[in-house]
Amino acid sequence: KVYAIGEEGLQEELVQRGIEIINAVDFEGQLGPKPAITEDEFAIYKPVKDVGAVVCGWDKDFTYTKLCLASLYLQHGARLVGTNPDTYDTVSGRNMPGCGCLIASLERSMKGPADDIYSESKSTIITGKPNALFFNQILEKYNFDKKDTVMIGDRLDTDILFGNNVGVDTALVLSGASVLKDVQSLQAGDNRTPTYVSNNLEELLEM
């Protein structure tokens, strides 16, 4: 069983894998629909037994209720699993908070007075980029050859790091999250350094 935070696609994927899902709808069934959980309601909420993980993906309807219940399952020993650590997506030149912000809020909820609240949790499992295991699954499914593979993306901290971690060439397109000054600010040997940089996919194909 997992407590799931995420859009319909994530929840469908979990169900297809035979995983039982618990989510905030169960709170509404137990206590009635509320705009936000109260202290009294949190105090009497009865967690579902045998929830082994909290799975957190992008969720445009993320709420304080979802945060509280997920944190409670973490307090009861569930592992935190995130789909990706993206801090934001670029929308019309603005940074719109991404999945990484939701994961960070859950990690923060577990910090104690003596902990560094700004450090990332080493116990959180990220299943997508830049986790190299994700790339190995792609290789097995599509039979790619590393020497003929290029990882293309718009983020240095996930896409490019992902490609470099698994030993393939990488190409950063400057049409998304990372910009040229981000590349120029990297120190020599930084594992986020792309093999190629282009303004867009069309330019990349002409290189």
Side-chain angles (χ1 to χ4, degrees), residues 39-50:
E39 291 182 358
D40 289 340
E41 290 167 338
F42 183 76
I44 65 173
Y45 175 79
K46 297 179 180 179
V48 177
K49 293 182 179 179
D50 301 322

Side-chain angles (χ1 to χ4, degrees), residues 22 29 76 98 119 129 176 192:
I22 309 299
H76 279 72
S119 64
K129 299 174 295 185
R192 296 169 296 171

Side-chain angles (χ1 to χ4, degrees), residues 48-174:
V48 177
K49 293 182 179 179
D50 301 322
V51 172
V54 171
V55 178
C56 182
W58 166 242
D59 187 344
K60 67 179 184 299
D61 296 315
F62 186 71
T63 63
Y64 185 62
T65 297
K66 292 181 180 182
L67 171 62
C68 285
L69 299 188
S71 177
L72 188 58
Y73 282 108
L74 293 174
Q75 293 171 48
H76 279 72
R79 292 291 302 272
L80 178 56
V81 179
T83 58
N84 72 83
D86 291 356
T87 51
Y88 62 84
D89 295 311
T90 302
V91 179
S92 298
R94 298 176 175 180
N95 296 340
M96 187 173 184
C99 182
C101 297
L102 311 187
I103 295 171
S105 69
L106 294 172
E107 291 177 337
R108 282 285 192 93
S109 77
M110 299 298 293
K111 298 284 188 180
D115 295 327
D116 178 3
I117 62 173
Y118 296 106
S119 64
E120 295 183 358
S121 174
K122 294 181 179 179
S123 63
T124 301
I125 300 171
I126 300 297
T127 59
K129 299 174 295 185
N131 190 334
L133 292 177
F134 179 45
F135 184 81
N136 293 335
Q137 292 175 339
I138 296 173
L139 283 180
E140 291 176 7
K141 184 173 182 178
Y142 297 102
N143 198 28
F144 289 162
D145 190 327
K146 280 189 177 183
K147 69 177 186 300
D148 298 324
T149 302
V150 178
M151 175 63 202
I152 303 172
D154 68 340
R155 299 189 66 97
L156 293 173
D157 56 349
T158 52
D159 300 325
I160 304 306
L161 179 61
F162 176 58
N164 288 338
N165 279 346
V166 298
V168 300
D169 285 346
T170 55
L172 177 72
V173 288
L174 302 175

